[in-house]
Amino acid sequence: MASERKFFVGGNWKMNGSKASIDEIIKNLGDANMPANTDVVVAPTAAHLLYVKERITPKIHVSAQNAYKVAKGAFTGEISPAILKDLGINWVILGHSERRHVFGEKDELIAEKVQHAISEGLSVIACIGEQLQEREAGLTEEVVFKQSKAIADVVSDWSKVVIAYEPVWAIGTGKTATPEQAQEVHVSLRSWLSDNVSPAVAQTTRIIYGGSVNAKNCQDLAAQADVDGFLVGGASLKPEFAQIINAKQ
């Protein structure tokens, strides 16, 4: 049952943040109720990882927004799981729609990154999701299953994986998948995991929703049996993030 899966709320700050604005976010979160039955993770820019890690309440984990597929080398501008671990960072977001569609990352590269991150002991928020024209063409399942397969083929430890379903048409657009639309895809994904990985993995793996989640819609989304939490974008920079963290209460 869904109750076995601990609710999970991630805040992806994307390319935003100054020390002053981060101080404010950290204060808001420090004052907020952190429910014991919810894992909370925030993902600042790489430049701010240590600043946040050293200041945020220990009840909140800190995640990187990206990492490369090898430990070190001549990869200017990149950051590796080994470097993240050296900073005390144990989470990373991989395959986010912006990495796929702005920076051109393909399923194969994302899979290599996921495989390497897990082998280095990091936990991964692995993102999948369809674009608007794909949904309108009825290809949602085909797209998300293909993306899921690339990831599933390389996962050695499913306890290290949270799947984030983020319909690209609902990210930063103000459009949100209805709770029913989100639930429908999450059920399909869980069924796919059951058939292609194992029923046990399908039952225990958290599938979270990302795409214009805010204080107004979070409770209705959280009420869906197969929505195990959120990957929040813009709203994670605002005071309302505290309400989203408490959506399951």
Side-chain angles (χ1 to χ4, degrees):
M1 292 300 295
S3 57
E4 295 169 18
R5 297 187 296 270
K6 192 174 183 184
F7 206 68
F8 184 101
V9 178
N12 178 11
W13 296 359
K14 307 189 181 183
M15 198 175 72
N16 296 294
S18 61
K19 287 193 283 190
S21 67
I22 288 168
D23 287 344
E24 198 171 324
I25 293 170
I26 288 172
K27 182 184 184 307
N28 285 337
L29 292 174
D31 293 342
N33 176 51
M34 290 290 147
N37 61 346
T38 301
D39 285 330
V40 183
V41 175
V42 295
T45 71
H48 291 119
L49 280 169
L50 208 52
Y51 187 86
V52 174
K53 172 78 177 162
E54 289 170 348
R55 288 164 177 81
I56 203 157
T57 169
K59 294 178 182 175
I60 296 179
H61 298 281
V62 181
S63 171
Q65 296 178 12
N66 188 31
Y68 198 50
K69 63 179 182 179
V70 293
K72 61 182 179 180
F75 302 102
T76 301
E78 287 292 336
I79 190 167
S80 72
I83 291 167
L84 294 173
K85 282 178 65 184
D86 191 47
L87 297 177
I89 305 297
N90 297 312
W91 282 91
V92 63
I93 300 170
L94 294 172
H96 190 277
S97 64
E98 288 151 17
R99 298 305 312 174
R100 292 175 186 271
H101 302 300
V102 179
F103 298 101
E105 293 188 6
K106 302 283 189 251
D107 288 349
E108 183 185 9
L109 173 61
I110 292 160
E112 290 172 330
K113 289 181 171 193
V114 169
Q115 184 173 37
H116 180 63
I118 293 172
S119 74
E120 290 282 289
L122 292 189
S123 293
V124 174
I125 301 168
C127 303
I128 58 174
E130 83 283 14
Q131 297 188 77
L132 181 60
Q133 64 269 32
E134 292 166 335
R135 171 164 279 266
E136 289 177 342
L139 299 174
T140 294
E141 287 193 353
E142 185 179 321
V143 171
V144 297
F145 291 170
K146 178 174 174 285
Q147 293 169 342
S148 298
K149 183 179 189 315
I151 292 164
D153 283 349
V154 301
V155 172
S156 53
D157 181 357
W158 279 94
S159 72
K160 296 279 190 191
V161 179
V162 172
I163 295 173
Y165 167 60
E166 35 164 40
V168 181
W169 50 271
I171 296 173
T173 59
K175 291 181 182 178
T176 316
T178 64
E180 294 74 24
Q181 284 174 320
Q183 169 66 8
E184 184 182 2
V185 178
H186 285 225
V187 167
S188 296
L189 284 166
R190 209 172 296 288
S191 174
W192 185 92
L193 284 173
S194 183
D195 293 343
N196 293 274
V197 183
S198 78
V201 163
Q203 201 57 45
T204 56
T205 300
R206 291 176 289 187
I207 305 175
I208 63 176
Y209 170 77
S212 298
V213 176
N214 57 45
K216 291 190 181 72
N217 60 31
C218 63
Q219 285 185 310
D220 288 340
L221 286 160
Q224 303 300 311
D226 289 278
V227 176
D228 302 316
F230 308 118
L231 186 57
V232 184
S236 69
L237 299 164
K238 301 172 185 173
E240 70 182 281
F241 189 52
Q243 291 171 257
I244 299 170
I245 289 168
N246 285 277
K248 196 71 175 172
Q249 299 315 295

